Amino acid sequence: MAAGRRGVADFAAGALRSALAPLGALLQEVHSTVNAVPEPPSEMSVTFGVQVGHDLKFGIVSGNGQAHLTVTATWHPPRADGGTAAPGAE
């Protein structure tokens, strides 16, 4: 019984790895685009939605062609000494 569970876990891990592999290129594109602006942000985060279907297929885009991707950027103003202000500092 344990061998069967392990096989299912290995299958699921492989499927997830395959489904998420294209995200590397997407994240690199976001990173490159953000760094190409004249004043890139001090911090950046990317959130994306992943759907798991009942057939164990993974996808970022749902069947109706909608995707969820949120990019958040934060700029910290420079300090008088040339450094960058810490988050929440005034």
Side-chain angles (χ1 to χ4, degrees):
M1 185 99 124
R5 285 190 204 137
R6 183 68 186 155
V8 170
D10 288 344
F11 171 77
L16 181 59
R17 195 173 302 111
S18 294
L20 296 179
L23 292 178
L26 173 65
L27 292 173
Q28 183 60 52
E29 187 62 33
V30 170
H31 181 265
S32 298
T33 301
V34 169
N35 282 324
V37 299
E39 294 182 41
S42 306
E43 297 177 25
M44 180 182 78
S45 68
V46 178
T47 305
F48 54 90
V50 176
Q51 295 180 346
V52 180
H54 66 280
D55 55 359
L56 293 180
K57 289 186 178 177
F58 298 88
I60 300 169
V61 178
S62 65
N64 60 6
Q66 295 180 351
H68 175 79
L69 176 69
T70 303
V71 178
T72 304
T74 304
W75 285 261
H76 299 292
R79 297 185 316 217
D81 64 5
T84 302
E90 297 188 37

